[in-house]
Amino acid sequence: MTPPLRLLRRPDSPTPTLAQVARMAGVSGATVSRFFNAPGKLSAETAARIKGAVDELGYTPNLVAGGLASNRSRLVAALAPTIEQSIFAATIQAMTDELAGAGYSVMLGLTGARDEHVSQQLSAVLGRRPDGVILTGSITDPVMRQRLVAQNTPIIETWDLPADPIDMVVGFSHEAVGRAVGARVIDKGWKKPLLISANGTRAAIRQAGFTQAMRQNGRPDPEVLTFDGVTTVGQGRRAFAQAWEAGARPDVVVCSSDWTAYGVIAEAQSRGLDVPGDLAVIGFGDLDFSADVNPALTTVRIDGHAIGRQAVSFLLQRARGERVAEPIVDVGFELVVRKSG
């Protein structure tokens, strides 16, 4: 049974101040300012004490405090892994359109395919005091979570359903997606699934859900081939070629994106395989081209526009001082069955 979700931070939590950091570290406010502006002028011991206080309190320096008497920046920070051939494009576009209509601008930060730049990007945007932060996925680093918890700023995690939300959530369960695709494979009687997946956090969760479905039905764990970087047609082609030449003979390939799936189809067909007669292929994302390739791609559809609109609705409610009665929204997903699988 899935445990109930709980909010880690309430919207009225006070924001830590520079004075609190100074008291906790046993230094002056000027020394704390120097820690951020000229850290080389401090001793290692003093810098370590200040860093400990900053991390414990979740303090972020206000880079624009002197220029905004109202403390409202009219900026919203949106963080996404990548925009290159991205399934997040619809969400970003919907957010930008909705926020522009309400008089806000969007700061877009790219956190990397494996979220490797997330701490750097968050530090950059939080210091500019945005009126809200919209995250793609969830933050797992405890220090960064504490900094987000400490901000008196709406925080919205999207494209996921974390067990311990920081504030508000608009997303879906990647584990449930994996289980649903696994159920499709089992129902169709395919015996030798191959998973071709990028090394991203969310793709790994879908992979785990798929494996769970196999085990619960007495099936062996699937073969898995992973790669680094963004998902592309070329990655799909190379991954399938590598697996085939190593002797793998799957009857279905489950991919972490539609781009990868399209590459698998192209490579399989170039080797004389019939899709779906010899090999079924399933993607993720239902991108614009997915219904138009030959054969049309079976995939998982996520309503990215709905995610973006709901995230902005949360932000605007908070901006008006309204209470968000239901801060966790599951938009769900749809397994779209077409000719490829």
Side-chain angles (χ1 to χ4, degrees):
M1 181 177 179
T2 303
L5 300 177
R6 62 182 180 84
L7 295 181
L8 187 60
R9 202 278 313 275
R10 303 313 308 175
D12 55 353
S13 299
T15 301
T17 65
L18 183 144
Q20 289 175 310
V21 174
R23 284 196 298 271
M24 181 175 287
V27 299
S28 68
T31 302
V32 175
S33 296
R34 195 172 299 119
F35 172 80
F36 289 105
N37 298 321
K41 295 183 178 181
L42 300 180
S43 69
E45 187 270 339
T46 299
R49 291 208 316 273
I50 296 173
K51 183 180 186 304
V54 167
D55 288 347
E56 183 171 343
L57 291 171
Y59 174 76
T60 300
N62 189 343
L63 302 180
V64 294
L68 291 175
S70 67
N71 206 31
R72 295 287 299 278
S73 66
R74 309 298 290 180
L75 294 174
V76 172
L79 270 61
T82 178
I83 57 174
E84 184 179 357
Q85 299 179 338
S86 178
I87 61 175
F88 309 113
T91 299
I92 295 169
Q93 188 65 58
M95 287 191 303
T96 302
D97 292 344
E98 295 286 319
L99 287 168
Y104 289 82
S105 297
V106 175
M107 294 185 293
L108 178 62
L110 302 182
T111 59
R114 301 182 68 180
D115 292 335
E116 61 269 27
H117 305 308
V118 66
S119 294
Q120 174 188 352
Q121 290 292 335
L122 276 173
S123 294
V125 300
L126 290 176
R128 288 161 176 80
R129 290 298 189 267
D131 289 344
V133 179
I134 300 175
L135 304 168
T136 299
S138 301
I139 302 299
T140 58
D141 177 75
V143 172
M144 188 52 64
R145 283 178 64 85
Q146 178 59 32
R147 291 185 69 182
L148 288 169
V149 167
Q151 300 303 303
N152 191 20
T153 302
I155 308 293
I156 304 174
E157 296 165 279
T158 67
W159 280 81
D160 205 350
L161 282 181
D164 293 306
I166 294 170
D167 190 358
M168 296 174 284
V169 175
V170 187
F172 60 96
S173 169
H174 288 268
E175 182 181 357
V177 169
R179 291 197 305 268
V181 175
R184 170 72 178 171
V185 168
I186 291 166
D187 290 345
K188 293 292 290 184
W190 294 314
K191 303 296 184 183
K192 295 179 290 183
L194 168 66
L195 272 57
I196 295 181
S197 174
N199 275 324
T201 302
R202 288 160 289 278
I205 295 173
R206 296 195 297 274
Q207 176 185 319
F210 184 95
T211 301
Q212 181 185 52
M214 296 295 105
R215 292 174 179 175
Q216 289 177 342
N217 284 270
R219 300 283 198 91
D221 289 2
E223 291 188 70
V224 178
L225 196 159
T226 60
F227 56 84
D228 293 321
V230 298
T231 58
T232 65
V233 174
Q235 286 280 27
R237 293 199 69 149
R238 289 188 292 272
F240 183 75
Q242 176 185 336
W244 190 265
E245 290 167 8
R249 293 298 182 266
D251 52 7
V252 58
V253 179
V254 177
C255 301
S256 62
S257 82
D258 286 357
W259 287 109
T260 303
Y262 184 30
V264 169
I265 291 174
E267 184 64 25
Q269 290 173 336
S270 75
R271 293 173 179 269
L273 297 176
D274 177 70
V275 180
D278 300 318
L279 178 73
V281 180
I282 301 174
F284 175 82
D286 195 27
L287 300 179
D288 290 342
F289 66 85
S290 301
D292 299 319
V293 296
N294 185 24
L297 185 61
T298 292
T299 185
V300 176
R301 176 183 296 156
I302 308 299
D303 193 340
H305 290 284
I307 291 175
R309 289 191 297 269
Q310 181 60 61
V312 172
S313 176
F314 277 161
L315 286 178
L316 297 182
Q317 282 181 263
R318 284 282 183 83
R320 294 191 295 267
E322 298 172 5
R323 176 177 175 270
V324 176
E326 297 292 338
I328 299 170
V329 173
D330 184 350
V331 300
F333 60 89
E334 179 186 356
L335 180 61
V336 181
V337 177
R338 300 191 181 105
K339 291 183 179 179
S340 75

